[in-house]
Amino acid sequence: MKLQILIPHYKETEHDVKPLLDSIALQQSVDFSEIGAIICHDGKDIPALNLMKYPFEVEQIWQEHKGVSAARNTCLDHATADYIMFCDCDDMFI
């Protein structure tokens, strides 16, 4: 995988996260087999997001509530791509 987008998640709802994932899926001239996203839920009691099928891999992981910096570091621990980038749940690609 070439690029993974690392997304810390705390109390945002599916309604808040889906626009970000949708905006990634709408990118043109992209080989989606080379892109993935890792969502780190910052809190064990946060339920899994019911995400519809995207043309790229979306992985969800959980950690004890430790804050956004720890969630980013947990994402880094799970990342395997050549390149990584961070994106907050309320951001979008245009």
Side-chain angles (χ1 to χ4, degrees):
M1 186 172 304
K2 291 282 186 187
L3 172 68
Q4 281 180 309
I5 302 165
L6 311 181
I7 306 166
H9 174 262
Y10 180 51
K11 290 187 175 181
E12 297 85 3
T13 65
E14 284 179 39
H15 179 74
D16 298 324
V17 178
K18 285 181 61 93
L20 167 60
L21 298 175
D22 290 343
S23 71
I24 296 168
L26 290 174
Q27 298 304 302
Q28 297 180 2
S29 302
V30 173
D31 180 2
F32 288 112
S33 67
E34 295 291 334
I35 294 178
I38 300 175
I39 300 173
C40 180
H41 301 286
D42 187 31
K44 292 282 188 184
D45 59 338
I46 298 174
L49 298 174
N50 184 15
L51 303 173
M52 58 185 246
K53 186 75 174 166
Y54 286 97
F56 53 90
E57 179 183 333
V58 179
E59 178 183 354
Q60 298 184 68
I61 55 177
W62 284 261
Q63 70 172 21
E64 295 291 332
H65 177 60
K66 298 177 186 175
V68 67
S69 295
R72 288 186 176 127
N73 286 330
T74 299
C75 284
L76 279 173
D77 292 341
H78 287 82
T80 58
D82 296 333
Y83 301 97
I84 59 166
M85 68 177 291
F86 292 103
C87 199
D88 292 327
C89 284
D90 59 352
D91 292 339
M92 287 179 52
F93 290 85
I94 55 171

